[in-house]
Amino acid sequence: MLTDYHLHLRPDEPDTPPERFFTVENVDRYLVAAEAAGVEELGVSEHVYRFRQALDIWRHPFWEEQARDDLDAYCEFVRGTSLKLGVECDFVPGAEDRTANLLEARDFDYVVGSVHFVGERAVDHEGWDAWEGKGDPDEVWRRYFEALAECARSGLFDILAHPDLVKVWGAARPLPERDLRAFYEPAVEAIAESGIAVEVSTAGLRKPAGEIYPATAFAEMCVEAGAPFALSSDAHLPEQVGFAYDRAVEFLAGLGVREICVFEGRERRLEPLGENPTR
Ligand SMILES: [Zn+2]
Ligand SMILES: [Zn+2]
């Protein structure tokens, strides 16, 4: 089995209205791409902050600007397709109850939990760059992984998205000088305690980081902690479905991982990891 659960039906640009992207024709493009890539399980997880209901969770100016669409219309649309229904939801510290209310009111198959922001600034967004000003890498990395640990421990989510997103800029941002495993440690502890599935995402290969999320050392620590893995591309276009899955399957096999997570109705089971796709 190969899965691709962390998918977006539209790019992150602002002028991408649902009526242009949440269409049967667009879903078909993703399904065709999945078949070509040997991906059997496909689900969509749009960013929660693009829906008006997300403003009940957080009123960050970026969210205020992005929250245009109706979450229930999205759920209804996806339910009319063969895609599994997911959502990519940011962990917002202090908003756990409001987040739970939003998620529990809908019949998602799975929820992808993300950390993009540390405080008011984002690790992956130039407009809200966490590295601006002092930008001490030790501080940014420490705060990012502390937030990731809280995200895992919150129990709100099924899959922990792009677990070391903080590396997204690669050489364009300074790297801490310490052994990076010191930063991973608190997150791995929370992953082990919570039982959340760790996302192996090929999106990092398309970014300046140029490597899979999570880094090998981080993934090895997750394996040691007994964490299960979920496999995704974080595609924002049909041609990115199953992106570089040959690398991802090799990566997982190299870690000794033989099973991946499959979700339905927020229940999880493990299926044998699929063969290396030929594409
Ligand atoms: Zn994300
Ligand atoms: Zn995403």
Side-chain angles (χ1 to χ4, degrees):
M1 168 81 75
L2 294 176
T3 64
D4 203 341
Y5 282 134
H6 186 156
L7 289 182
H8 303 270
L9 288 175
R10 54 182 172 181
D12 280 339
E13 281 90 74
D15 186 27
T16 48
E19 58 274 19
R20 253 176 60 212
F21 291 89
F22 298 167
T23 66
V24 171
E25 293 72 27
N26 195 35
V27 168
D28 280 345
R29 286 191 275 274
Y30 280 73
L31 292 171
V32 168
E35 202 177 336
V39 175
E40 295 154 78
E41 266 278 301
L42 209 61
V44 59
S45 57
E46 290 300 324
H47 284 295
V48 78
Y49 60 73
R50 299 201 63 176
F51 301 104
R52 290 189 293 277
Q53 288 88 341
L55 297 178
D56 294 340
I57 299 179
W58 203 25
R59 287 194 165 264
H60 187 281
F62 176 66
W63 285 34
E64 297 259 17
E65 169 196 306
Q66 295 277 319
R68 294 275 174 273
D69 307 327
D70 180 53
L71 181 59
D72 295 303
Y74 157 73
C75 294
E76 201 187 313
F77 167 73
V78 175
R79 279 299 176 217
T81 72
S82 61
L83 298 172
K84 290 274 173 74
L85 175 61
V87 67
E88 178 176 8
C89 186
D90 292 65
F91 172 69
V92 180
E96 289 86 346
D97 288 349
R98 301 196 300 278
T99 305
N101 289 343
L102 180 143
L103 297 174
E104 282 162 15
R106 284 140 190 120
D107 68 334
F108 294 114
D109 287 310
Y110 58 88
V111 179
V112 179
S114 292
V115 173
H116 302 109
F117 282 83
V118 286
E120 296 291 306
R121 305 228 144 234
V123 296
D124 65 334
H125 195 302
E126 278 185 310
W128 301 93
D129 197 348
W131 270 269
E132 239 172 55
K134 195 159 147 263
D136 172 13
D138 239 71
E139 170 86 2
V140 175
W141 276 59
R142 185 183 54 75
R143 290 185 64 196
Y144 170 79
F145 283 103
E146 279 173 10
L148 192 74
E150 270 192 86
C151 175
R153 209 171 260 129
S154 71
L156 290 164
F157 313 113
D158 305 298
I159 301 172
L160 193 60
H162 38 59
D164 55 352
L165 179 69
V166 69
K167 74 182 176 192
V168 60
W169 299 111
R173 296 290 186 282
L175 203 65
E177 280 167 18
R178 283 196 286 155
D179 185 337
L180 299 180
R181 281 174 291 201
F183 296 95
Y184 305 150
E185 194 73 52
V188 173
E189 210 170 283
I191 287 164
E193 275 172 32
S194 65
I196 195 169
V198 175
E199 182 178 77
V200 167
S201 169
T202 56
L205 293 166
R206 303 195 300 268
K207 297 289 164 66
E211 60 172 54
I212 285 175
Y213 304 112
T216 306
F218 189 178
E220 284 169 352
M221 290 165 75
C222 293
V223 170
E224 221 166 283
F229 290 87
L231 174 61
S232 291
S233 68
D234 205 348
H236 287 65
L237 297 167
E239 53 268 35
Q240 291 170 346
V241 173
F243 174 79
Y245 266 25
D246 51 340
R247 306 262 308 261
V249 170
E250 240 178 72
F251 179 81
L252 284 163
L255 293 165
V257 175
R258 294 199 174 79
E259 293 176 310
I260 53 168
C261 296
V262 173
F263 294 90
E264 190 165 0
R266 304 207 65 183
E267 299 276 339
R268 174 174 91 200
R269 64 177 200 275
L270 289 167
E271 289 275 346
L273 172 67
E275 296 285 308
N276 209 336
T278 45
R279 194 173 72 147

